[in-house]
Amino acid sequence: GQQVMQIPQYQHVQEGEDFTTYCNSSTTLSNIQWYKQRPGGHPVFLIQLVKSGEVKKQKRLTFQFGEAKKNSSLHITATQTTDVGTYFCAGPTSGTYKYIFGTGTRLKVLA
Amino acid sequence: NAGVTQTPKFQVLKTGQSMTLQCAQDMNHEYMSWYRQDPGMGLRLIHYSVGAGITDQGEVPNGYNVSRSTTEDFPLRLLSAAPSQTSVYFCASSYSVLDYGYTFGSGTRLTVV
């Protein structure tokens, strides 16, 4: 079945450093979504990418969808303590509405 | 709007007991899903629904039943609880999941002893 892997699993950064998480799917995705989950909270939708090679920005966050639509990345510039949490990517199984989530990257920001 | 409401927030069950986790949304969303979250395992899809009367299995459906008699409600039933079902359960809904993201409920933390 479809698998969505994320690396790294954990990342500790000093406040002000950049951070990147990578998402890789075993199959081509029609779109990819990114979510953020704060410790003890629930996932919150951040953004959706649809087009091959698409790049979207939200303030310090840059999201990219690979040309082959099998991978994606989230880059945070100059991390802040408010960026702490786990970042998940999610994509639909081909031909269905089943959204499979990646394993997540847990970000810790040290002040 | 209340969004996605899950009840209860916490529950302890004995092995073999059954129970229903409730999920309700007031956003007129067609798409609803149940996920479970275990440490290091991310979110795994249990069951999902694309509208009232239509449900389908996700990645880990065994031991769980769902039904969708109304657009608003999507309860998850544990038939005979097992310690392996100890997890945090999230319900999520979307107006159009291929166009918009999911809105998640605050979760139910279930412990099976």
Side-chain angles (χ1 to χ4, degrees), chain B:
Chain B
N1 286 349
V4 180
T5 302
Q6 289 186 241
T7 55
K9 293 194 183 304
F10 302 93
Q11 183 72 46
V12 178
L13 286 180
K14 292 183 179 179
T15 298
Q17 286 184 319
S18 62
M19 81 158 294
T20 299
L21 307 185
Q22 301 291 345
C23 176
Q25 51 89 11
D26 61 356
M27 299 174 283
N28 201 31
H29 285 175
E30 290 293 329
Y31 298 88
M32 296 187 76
S33 291
W34 276 101
Y35 288 88
R36 61 177 285 175
Q37 185 171 35
D38 304 299
M41 299 288 290
L43 292 149
R44 291 184 291 170
L45 180 63
I46 305 171
H47 286 285
Y48 70 104
S49 169
V50 299
I54 306 169
T55 64
D56 203 353
Q57 295 182 348
E59 302 169 271
V60 288
N62 292 343
Y64 307 95
N65 271 358
V66 292
S67 60
R68 185 98 180 270
S69 55
T70 67
T71 299
E72 295 77 20
D73 299 297
F74 191 41
L76 178 72
R77 279 181 283 279
L78 279 70
L79 308 174
S80 177
S84 60
Q85 293 179 304
T86 294
S87 188
V88 179
Y89 291 84
F90 288 103
C91 178
S93 74
S94 177
Y95 177 72
S96 172
V97 71
L98 293 181
D99 299 307
Y100 306 97
Y102 272 117
T103 299
F104 279 79
S106 57
T108 294
R109 185 174 293 274
L110 175 69
T111 302
V112 182
V113 298

Side-chain angles (χ1 to χ4, degrees), chain A residues 63-102:
Chain A
F63 303 84
Q64 188 163 5
F65 202 7
E67 293 290 339
K69 301 183 77 173
K70 293 181 72 173
N71 56 72
S72 181
S73 64
L74 158 59
H75 179 80
I76 302 177
T77 303
T79 54
Q80 299 175 358
T81 54
T82 53
D83 295 324
V84 164
T86 302
Y87 292 85
F88 292 99
C89 61
T93 302
S94 178
T96 76
Y97 298 102
K98 293 185 194 183
Y99 264 78
I100 305 301
F101 277 70

Side-chain angles (χ1 to χ4, degrees), chain A:
Chain A
Q2 177 187 348
Q3 290 186 325
V4 181
M5 304 298 292
Q6 283 183 253
I7 55 171
Q9 190 174 3
Y10 301 98
Q11 185 83 56
H12 293 182
V13 299
Q14 288 291 135
E15 189 173 21
E17 291 182 339
D18 291 357
F19 159 76
T20 303
T21 174
Y22 299 91
C23 175
N24 296 290
S25 170
S26 57
T27 60
T28 301
L29 300 170
S30 59
N31 63 71
I32 195 155
Q33 297 177 352
W34 284 92
Y35 294 78
K36 176 184 179 181
Q37 183 178 25
R38 287 200 164 95
H42 57 273
V44 173
F45 174 71
L46 294 176
I47 207 161
Q48 174 167 287
L49 304 170
V50 178
K51 299 176 184 175
S52 169
E54 188 171 13
V55 178
K56 286 189 176 181
K57 293 190 177 184
Q58 287 181 349
K59 298 183 180 178
R60 295 177 294 104
L61 278 61
T62 301
F63 303 84
Q64 188 163 5
F65 202 7
E67 293 290 339
K69 301 183 77 173
K70 293 181 72 173
N71 56 72
S72 181
S73 64
L74 158 59
H75 179 80
I76 302 177
T77 303
T79 54
Q80 299 175 358
T81 54
T82 53
D83 295 324
V84 164
T86 302
Y87 292 85
F88 292 99
C89 61
T93 302
S94 178
T96 76
Y97 298 102
K98 293 185 194 183
Y99 264 78
I100 305 301
F101 277 70
T103 45
T105 295
R106 192 170 176 182
L107 172 64
K108 189 169 183 176
V109 179
L110 306 171

